[in-house]
Short mmCIF file of all heavy atoms in Angstrom, two decimals:
data_model
loop_
_atom_site.label_atom_id
_atom_site.label_comp_id
_atom_site.label_asym_id
_atom_site.label_seq_id
_atom_site.Cartn_x
_atom_site.Cartn_y
_atom_site.Cartn_z
N LEU A 540 -2.96 -10.00 3.09
CA LEU A 540 -1.88 -10.67 2.45
C LEU A 540 -0.50 -10.24 2.72
O LEU A 540 0.52 -10.88 2.55
CB LEU A 540 -2.06 -10.70 0.88
CG LEU A 540 -3.32 -11.49 0.42
CD1 LEU A 540 -3.58 -11.16 -1.09
CD2 LEU A 540 -3.48 -13.04 0.76
N PHE A 541 -0.38 -9.06 3.16
CA PHE A 541 0.92 -8.39 3.45
C PHE A 541 1.13 -8.40 5.03
O PHE A 541 0.39 -7.69 5.62
CB PHE A 541 1.12 -7.00 2.94
CG PHE A 541 0.91 -7.03 1.43
CD1 PHE A 541 -0.34 -6.70 0.85
CD2 PHE A 541 1.91 -7.41 0.54
CE1 PHE A 541 -0.54 -6.77 -0.58
CE2 PHE A 541 1.72 -7.40 -0.77
CZ PHE A 541 0.49 -7.08 -1.34
N HIS A 542 2.02 -9.18 5.49
CA HIS A 542 2.02 -9.51 6.95
C HIS A 542 3.26 -9.82 7.57
O HIS A 542 3.40 -9.99 8.73
CB HIS A 542 1.07 -10.82 7.15
CG HIS A 542 1.67 -11.93 6.45
ND1 HIS A 542 1.31 -12.17 5.02
CD2 HIS A 542 2.53 -13.00 6.77
CE1 HIS A 542 2.01 -13.31 4.68
NE2 HIS A 542 2.72 -13.74 5.73
N GLY A 543 4.44 -9.81 6.84
CA GLY A 543 5.71 -10.12 7.39
C GLY A 543 6.88 -9.68 6.56
O GLY A 543 6.69 -8.58 5.86
N VAL A 544 7.92 -10.40 6.54
CA VAL A 544 9.06 -10.00 5.77
C VAL A 544 9.00 -10.75 4.41
O VAL A 544 9.02 -12.07 4.47
CB VAL A 544 10.36 -10.24 6.37
CG1 VAL A 544 11.60 -9.94 5.50
CG2 VAL A 544 10.53 -9.53 7.66
N HIS A 545 8.83 -10.11 3.34
CA HIS A 545 8.58 -10.76 2.00
C HIS A 545 9.72 -10.53 0.98
O HIS A 545 10.36 -9.46 1.07
CB HIS A 545 7.29 -10.29 1.36
CG HIS A 545 6.06 -10.48 2.22
ND1 HIS A 545 5.56 -11.63 2.50
CD2 HIS A 545 5.35 -9.45 2.83
CE1 HIS A 545 4.37 -11.42 3.31
NE2 HIS A 545 4.36 -10.06 3.64
N GLU A 546 9.90 -11.32 0.06
CA GLU A 546 10.66 -11.02 -1.16
C GLU A 546 9.91 -9.98 -1.91
O GLU A 546 8.63 -10.02 -1.96
CB GLU A 546 10.83 -12.22 -1.95
CG GLU A 546 11.75 -13.33 -1.41
CD GLU A 546 13.22 -12.93 -1.34
OE1 GLU A 546 13.59 -11.82 -1.90
OE2 GLU A 546 14.02 -13.65 -0.65
N GLN A 547 10.59 -9.02 -2.54
CA GLN A 547 9.93 -7.97 -3.24
C GLN A 547 9.03 -8.53 -4.29
O GLN A 547 7.94 -8.11 -4.73
CB GLN A 547 10.93 -6.98 -3.84
CG GLN A 547 10.27 -5.81 -4.38
CD GLN A 547 11.36 -4.75 -4.71
OE1 GLN A 547 12.41 -5.02 -5.25
NE2 GLN A 547 11.16 -3.48 -4.33
N SER A 548 9.34 -9.70 -4.93
CA SER A 548 8.71 -10.33 -5.95
C SER A 548 7.36 -10.87 -5.47
O SER A 548 6.48 -11.34 -6.31
CB SER A 548 9.55 -11.51 -6.59
OG SER A 548 10.01 -12.38 -5.51
N TYR A 549 7.11 -11.07 -4.20
CA TYR A 549 5.88 -11.54 -3.60
C TYR A 549 4.71 -10.64 -3.98
O TYR A 549 3.55 -11.14 -4.11
CB TYR A 549 6.06 -11.69 -2.11
CG TYR A 549 4.83 -11.88 -1.40
CD1 TYR A 549 4.08 -13.22 -1.43
CD2 TYR A 549 4.10 -10.93 -0.65
CE1 TYR A 549 2.91 -13.51 -0.77
CE2 TYR A 549 2.95 -11.16 -0.06
CZ TYR A 549 2.32 -12.37 -0.09
OH TYR A 549 1.13 -12.72 0.59
N VAL A 550 4.97 -9.35 -4.13
CA VAL A 550 3.85 -8.40 -4.34
C VAL A 550 3.05 -8.76 -5.53
O VAL A 550 1.84 -8.67 -5.41
CB VAL A 550 4.49 -6.93 -4.36
CG1 VAL A 550 3.35 -5.97 -4.66
CG2 VAL A 550 5.15 -6.60 -3.10
N ALA A 551 3.76 -9.08 -6.64
CA ALA A 551 2.98 -9.37 -7.88
C ALA A 551 2.11 -10.54 -7.68
O ALA A 551 0.97 -10.65 -8.12
CB ALA A 551 3.89 -9.63 -9.00
N HIS A 552 2.60 -11.65 -6.93
CA HIS A 552 1.78 -12.88 -6.76
C HIS A 552 0.61 -12.52 -5.85
O HIS A 552 -0.56 -13.08 -6.04
CB HIS A 552 2.66 -13.84 -6.08
CG HIS A 552 3.88 -14.21 -6.92
ND1 HIS A 552 3.72 -14.89 -8.20
CD2 HIS A 552 5.14 -14.05 -6.77
CE1 HIS A 552 4.95 -15.13 -8.69
NE2 HIS A 552 5.79 -14.59 -7.93
N ALA A 553 0.70 -11.64 -4.80
CA ALA A 553 -0.36 -11.27 -3.95
C ALA A 553 -1.36 -10.49 -4.72
O ALA A 553 -2.60 -10.74 -4.53
CB ALA A 553 0.17 -10.48 -2.76
N ILE A 554 -0.92 -9.64 -5.62
CA ILE A 554 -1.82 -8.84 -6.42
C ILE A 554 -2.78 -9.74 -7.40
O ILE A 554 -3.94 -9.59 -7.41
CB ILE A 554 -1.10 -7.71 -7.16
CG1 ILE A 554 -0.74 -6.64 -6.14
CG2 ILE A 554 -2.11 -7.14 -8.30
CD1 ILE A 554 0.11 -5.56 -6.78
N THR A 555 -1.99 -10.61 -8.04
CA THR A 555 -2.78 -11.50 -8.99
C THR A 555 -3.67 -12.40 -8.27
O THR A 555 -4.79 -12.62 -8.72
CB THR A 555 -1.69 -12.36 -9.77
OG1 THR A 555 -0.91 -13.15 -8.89
CG2 THR A 555 -1.00 -11.42 -10.65
N TYR A 556 -3.35 -12.82 -7.01
CA TYR A 556 -4.30 -13.61 -6.20
C TYR A 556 -5.49 -12.79 -5.80
O TYR A 556 -6.58 -13.29 -5.79
CB TYR A 556 -3.58 -14.22 -5.03
CG TYR A 556 -4.49 -14.99 -4.16
CD1 TYR A 556 -4.96 -16.36 -4.44
CD2 TYR A 556 -4.95 -14.42 -2.92
CE1 TYR A 556 -5.65 -17.03 -3.60
CE2 TYR A 556 -5.82 -15.27 -2.01
CZ TYR A 556 -6.17 -16.50 -2.44
OH TYR A 556 -6.98 -17.18 -1.59
N ALA A 557 -5.23 -11.59 -5.30
CA ALA A 557 -6.37 -10.72 -4.89
C ALA A 557 -7.30 -10.37 -6.03
O ALA A 557 -8.52 -10.37 -5.75
CB ALA A 557 -5.76 -9.45 -4.22
N LEU A 558 -6.88 -10.21 -7.28
CA LEU A 558 -7.61 -9.89 -8.31
C LEU A 558 -8.14 -11.12 -9.13
O LEU A 558 -8.98 -11.01 -9.89
CB LEU A 558 -6.86 -9.07 -9.44
CG LEU A 558 -6.66 -7.52 -9.09
CD1 LEU A 558 -5.70 -6.95 -10.10
CD2 LEU A 558 -7.95 -6.77 -9.10
N ARG A 559 -7.58 -12.28 -8.77
CA ARG A 559 -7.95 -13.50 -9.49
C ARG A 559 -7.60 -13.42 -10.86
O ARG A 559 -8.44 -13.64 -11.87
CB ARG A 559 -9.39 -14.01 -9.25
CG ARG A 559 -9.75 -14.23 -7.79
CD ARG A 559 -8.94 -15.46 -7.21
NE ARG A 559 -9.58 -15.89 -6.02
CZ ARG A 559 -9.24 -15.43 -4.79
NH1 ARG A 559 -8.38 -14.48 -4.68
NH2 ARG A 559 -9.95 -15.80 -3.62
N ILE A 560 -6.37 -12.96 -11.27
CA ILE A 560 -5.84 -12.99 -12.69
C ILE A 560 -4.63 -13.72 -12.74
O ILE A 560 -4.14 -14.28 -11.81
CB ILE A 560 -5.68 -11.43 -13.01
CG1 ILE A 560 -4.41 -10.87 -12.11
CG2 ILE A 560 -6.86 -10.53 -12.97
CD1 ILE A 560 -4.05 -9.42 -12.52
N GLY A 561 -4.21 -13.81 -13.99
CA GLY A 561 -3.00 -14.71 -14.33
C GLY A 561 -3.24 -16.17 -13.88
O GLY A 561 -4.33 -16.71 -14.10
N ARG A 562 -2.32 -16.75 -13.08
CA ARG A 562 -2.36 -18.13 -12.71
C ARG A 562 -3.48 -18.29 -11.77
O ARG A 562 -3.87 -19.51 -11.54
CB ARG A 562 -0.97 -18.53 -12.20
CG ARG A 562 -0.51 -17.85 -11.03
CD ARG A 562 0.82 -18.47 -10.48
NE ARG A 562 1.76 -18.40 -11.55
CZ ARG A 562 2.51 -17.33 -11.82
NH1 ARG A 562 2.41 -16.18 -11.07
NH2 ARG A 562 3.48 -17.33 -12.78
N PHE A 563 -4.03 -17.21 -11.12
CA PHE A 563 -5.07 -17.39 -10.14
C PHE A 563 -6.45 -17.12 -10.71
O PHE A 563 -7.36 -16.93 -9.99
CB PHE A 563 -4.74 -16.49 -8.82
CG PHE A 563 -3.47 -16.91 -8.22
CD1 PHE A 563 -2.44 -16.02 -8.22
CD2 PHE A 563 -3.34 -18.09 -7.56
CE1 PHE A 563 -1.29 -16.29 -7.61
CE2 PHE A 563 -2.19 -18.34 -6.88
CZ PHE A 563 -1.11 -17.56 -6.94
N ARG A 564 -6.48 -17.00 -12.01
CA ARG A 564 -7.82 -16.64 -12.63
C ARG A 564 -8.85 -17.59 -12.34
O ARG A 564 -8.77 -18.73 -12.50
CB ARG A 564 -7.54 -16.47 -14.11
CG ARG A 564 -8.73 -15.88 -14.87
CD ARG A 564 -8.45 -15.64 -16.37
NE ARG A 564 -9.51 -15.01 -17.09
CZ ARG A 564 -9.49 -14.69 -18.37
NH1 ARG A 564 -8.32 -15.02 -19.11
NH2 ARG A 564 -10.55 -14.14 -18.92
N ASP A 565 -10.04 -17.01 -11.95
CA ASP A 565 -11.18 -17.91 -11.65
C ASP A 565 -11.81 -18.42 -12.99
O ASP A 565 -11.65 -17.82 -14.07
CB ASP A 565 -12.25 -17.10 -10.94
CG ASP A 565 -11.87 -16.86 -9.48
OD1 ASP A 565 -11.05 -17.65 -9.01
OD2 ASP A 565 -12.40 -15.81 -8.89
N SER A 566 -12.64 -19.46 -12.85
CA SER A 566 -13.56 -19.88 -14.04
C SER A 566 -14.53 -18.85 -14.21
O SER A 566 -14.78 -17.97 -13.35
CB SER A 566 -14.07 -21.25 -13.73
OG SER A 566 -14.95 -21.13 -12.64
N SER A 567 -15.21 -18.88 -15.36
CA SER A 567 -16.22 -17.90 -15.65
C SER A 567 -17.36 -17.96 -14.72
O SER A 567 -18.02 -17.02 -14.33
CB SER A 567 -16.76 -18.15 -17.13
OG SER A 567 -17.22 -19.37 -17.31
#
Side-chain angles (χ1 to χ4, degrees):
L540 294 175
F541 302 98
H542 59 276
V544 180
H545 304 289
E546 293 289 353
Q547 193 168 43
S548 50
Y549 168 76
V550 177
H552 301 291
I554 289 174
T555 55
Y556 178 76
L558 282 174
R559 298 296 196 271
I560 59 175
R562 62 179 57 85
F563 300 111
R564 187 175 184 180
D565 287 335
S566 67
S567 57

